[in-house]
Amino acid sequence: MEIHVVERGETLWRITQLYNADINQIALVNQLENLNVLVVGQALVIPELDQEYVVQSGDNLWSIANRLDVTVQELVQANGLTNPNLIYVGELLELPFFPHTVQPGEYLWSIAQRYGVTINQILQANNIESPSLIYPGQTLRIPKGVKPTIEVNAYTTQMNEQGRQEVLALGRNFTYLSPFMYSFREDGSLTEMQDAPIIEAAAANEISPLLVLTNYSGQSFDSDLGAALLRNTDVQDTLITNILQVMREKGYTGLNIDFEYLYPEDRENYNAFLRQVVARLHTEGFSVSTALAPKESADQQGLLYEAHDYRAHGEIVDFIILMTYEWGWAGGEPWAIAPITKMRDVLDYAVTDIPPAKILMGVPLYGRDWRVPWVEGTFAQTVSPVQAVNRAGNYGVEIQYNENYQSPFYHYVDEDGQEHEVWFEDARSMQAKYDLVTDYGLRGVSYWVLGNRFPQNWPVLQNNFTIRKL
């Protein structure tokens, strides 16, 4: 897989010539709606012939395996498919092998070294008994190298049929699915959510569903609701009992606690509550995780940050989701949603208090469109990456890329003469984020939020990692 950035005057046909690629495969994996319309600065994923295949209409895994001269089981194993019947048009599949033509003077040892595999792996892949039995002009099947294995969580707010279909289509990419959200009342009772279809879709892809618990009330996180729980152990006992009942009944495998805007004086109360939750849930085999605000130091000021004790959470819970996004938030000035500089600042501190193997780094799947000059009290529109690219095309503007923040952006003027500034994510910005996972040795990533079309993300993710299923 390659990432190509469209230049002025380029056509899709010209791009296929550059990469010796297939125009239909490029169109499918990028979900291009009009093959004749490309936007300057647009990032495209380019599947590599002989190494990758994009599912087309009418395909099934058996027909694909026959076409590529591999077995169904080899395709399943190479792509981590938990359900061979769940493949979708536009989905990128990696071939378990790629071809290499033996050159004069080449030995199996040098070929194995070149591709980072063992001699025995090449021998087995080609049914060759001896390393000496190769010759110039021979085409060998080279097995793909091993990629790092990570865990991936995805939050979803869509409990409808559209949300169910999205989980089915993308589920091979997820370790956990977190339907957002359950809250609680001051008496320790839980709110309700029609999450059964989403949990069933998760099960079809062997995804572990996490019950998300928040201190949400009305239309926002509620500091007083959090205090009512964290300062009353009887209410905590009742709430935990109710959580366990729902988890057993619905098939949740873990609890993800997302308490935000807690009072600073409830910091130790929150830690004590987590210890109680872990003690009770672990005895029944459930995991416990928390979502934490993106702090850059232990003593960072502000209602969002002070009650979140990184070191304590790192010791108490099984893993942590760092919400490393929303710098460019809807009610603030235009900026990258997740500038790589700020993400690094958070991780630099986080790994001093939390084991990296417990950290899922938050990653946004969306962008925002602001009216500029920005006026305090106005709110940006949330857009998907596909909407962002299409909007640039509709207004005839070029997409730019901020190398410092590792994020695409552009400006346009609408029909009423209003100027806009748009920041979003693309294949390049996601690759930069996945590089952080490798650089810091993190457990994985957590997406906020499904429901935004972003076809380029999934092949980039798959190109970097193997996704762990529990």
Side-chain angles (χ1 to χ4, degrees):
M1 186 214 80
E2 301 280 350
I3 297 174
H4 178 81
V5 180
V6 177
E7 298 182 359
R8 188 176 292 107
E10 280 190 326
T11 64
L12 198 57
W13 181 85
R14 173 58 181 156
I15 293 170
T16 63
Q17 302 303 302
L18 287 174
Y19 293 94
N20 188 31
D22 182 282
I23 193 168
N24 291 320
Q25 295 271 291
I26 296 175
L28 283 170
V29 77
N30 292 281
Q31 295 183 20
L32 299 179
E33 297 169 4
N34 187 336
L35 306 193
N36 296 315
V37 177
L38 296 177
V39 180
V40 176
Q42 174 182 4
L44 296 173
V45 167
I46 311 296
E48 295 185 67
L49 288 180
D50 300 325
Q51 296 196 39
E52 295 157 331
Y53 178 81
V54 182
V55 178
Q56 304 178 62
S57 179
D59 278 342
N60 58 50
L61 213 56
W62 181 84
S63 66
I64 295 172
N66 274 351
R67 178 180 300 179
L68 302 176
D69 192 27
V70 297
T71 68
V72 169
Q73 185 54 39
E74 285 172 336
L75 273 182
V76 168
Q77 186 173 352
N79 292 278
L81 301 179
T82 53
N83 189 334
N85 296 316
L86 289 178
I87 61 170
Y88 289 81
V89 173
E91 184 174 4
L92 185 141
L93 298 176
E94 290 189 343
L95 278 63
F97 313 100
F98 59 91
H100 172 82
T101 302
V102 179
Q103 302 299 311
E106 275 192 325
Y107 297 94
L108 209 55
W109 179 85
S110 62
I111 296 172
Q113 288 288 106
R114 173 178 175 181
Y115 294 112
V117 297
T118 67
I119 292 175
N120 283 337
Q121 285 175 312
I122 298 177
L123 292 175
Q124 291 173 6
N126 295 275
N127 294 316
I128 299 174
E129 294 182 359
S130 169
S132 63
L133 298 177
I134 67 169
Y135 52 88
Q138 180 183 12
T139 299
L140 297 176
R141 300 205 306 178
I142 308 298
K144 286 292 186 70
V146 177
K147 292 177 289 189
T149 298
I150 65 167
E151 293 183 0
V152 176
N153 175 62
Y155 287 101
T156 180
T157 59
Q158 297 188 105
M159 303 301 127
N160 53 18
E161 178 61 19
Q162 181 180 349
R164 188 182 79 88
Q165 289 295 334
E166 185 175 29
V167 172
L168 288 174
L170 298 176
R172 60 179 280 213
N173 302 293
F174 308 141
T175 310
Y176 309 103
L177 181 73
S178 298
F180 195 83
M181 48 67 191
Y182 284 88
S183 189
F184 59 90
R185 304 178 185 91
E186 291 191 7
D187 62 357
S189 60
L190 275 175
T191 59
E192 297 179 355
M193 185 164 58
Q194 303 303 316
D195 46 6
I198 295 295
I199 295 175
E200 291 171 5
N205 270 307
E206 297 185 10
I207 308 168
S208 300
L210 304 180
L211 188 152
V212 180
L213 180 70
T214 74
N215 59 318
Y216 215 78
S217 179
Q219 298 298 314
S220 62
F221 289 93
D222 189 331
S223 307
D224 291 327
L225 180 61
L229 171 70
L230 299 177
R231 300 174 189 181
N232 189 319
T233 55
D234 291 337
V235 174
Q236 292 174 30
D237 287 337
T238 300
L239 176 59
I240 296 170
T241 298
N242 289 330
I243 289 170
L244 282 167
Q245 181 178 346
V246 171
M247 292 176 71
R248 296 188 202 106
E249 290 177 353
K250 295 194 173 184
Y252 281 104
T253 63
L255 174 67
N256 177 242
I257 301 175
D258 181 12
F259 286 178
E260 301 185 30
Y261 295 98
L262 297 173
Y263 291 121
E265 53 266 36
D266 283 319
R267 177 186 176 106
E268 291 305 323
N269 294 333
Y270 189 16
N271 294 342
F273 172 67
L274 290 176
R275 292 187 182 96
Q276 185 181 0
V277 169
V278 167
R280 291 187 60 181
L281 267 64
H282 274 188
T283 59
E284 298 198 28
F286 297 119
S287 68
V288 179
S289 57
T290 56
L292 294 180
K295 297 173 65 168
E296 297 176 20
S297 64
D299 57 356
Q300 188 162 335
Q301 301 296 301
L303 190 61
L304 180 62
Y305 309 103
E306 292 178 63
H308 284 185
D309 185 336
Y310 272 35
R311 178 158 295 182
H313 285 238
E315 295 170 351
I316 297 167
V317 302
D318 298 299
F319 61 90
I320 285 161
I321 293 169
L322 289 185
M323 295 182 283
T324 39
Y325 42 76
E326 282 293 275
W327 278 275
W329 69 289
E333 297 187 52
W335 197 13
I337 310 300
I340 210 77
T341 50
K342 300 300 291 183
M343 296 178 78
R344 281 191 177 276
D345 288 343
V346 172
L347 290 171
D348 284 344
Y349 159 59
V351 296
T352 67
D353 271 350
I354 305 169
K358 281 192 172 186
I359 296 174
L360 296 185
M361 182 185 74
V363 175
L365 296 178
Y366 59 94
R368 292 227 163 90
D369 181 330
W370 286 265
R371 294 189 297 273
V372 292
W374 178 74
V375 177
E376 189 169 357
T378 61
F379 289 83
Q381 178 190 14
T382 299
V383 295
S384 72
V386 168
Q387 287 175 312
V389 172
N390 289 346
R391 192 164 295 182
N394 292 339
Y395 286 99
V397 299
E398 298 182 5
I399 295 170
Q400 302 173 67
Y401 194 78
N402 187 298
E403 295 289 347
N404 187 38
Y405 301 143
Q406 288 291 307
S407 180
F409 72 101
Y410 61 87
H411 293 82
Y412 72 94
V413 178
D414 67 22
E415 295 81 358
D416 297 322
Q418 172 66 55
E419 186 178 358
H420 293 249
E421 185 171 331
V422 180
W423 291 83
F424 63 105
E425 303 292 339
D426 68 5
R428 293 168 292 179
S429 69
M430 299 306 279
Q431 181 60 60
K433 291 171 177 57
Y434 296 143
D435 287 342
L436 290 183
V437 175
T438 304
D439 291 346
Y440 286 86
L442 305 181
R443 186 187 191 100
V445 298
S446 175
Y447 295 120
W448 181 268
V449 58
L450 298 184
N452 299 290
R453 283 180 62 204
F454 192 4
Q456 291 85 4
N457 175 59
W458 312 111
V460 176
L461 172 71
Q462 294 154 13
N463 189 60
N464 281 273
F465 304 112
T466 297
I467 312 306
R468 178 177 289 116
K469 295 287 186 175
L470 303 181

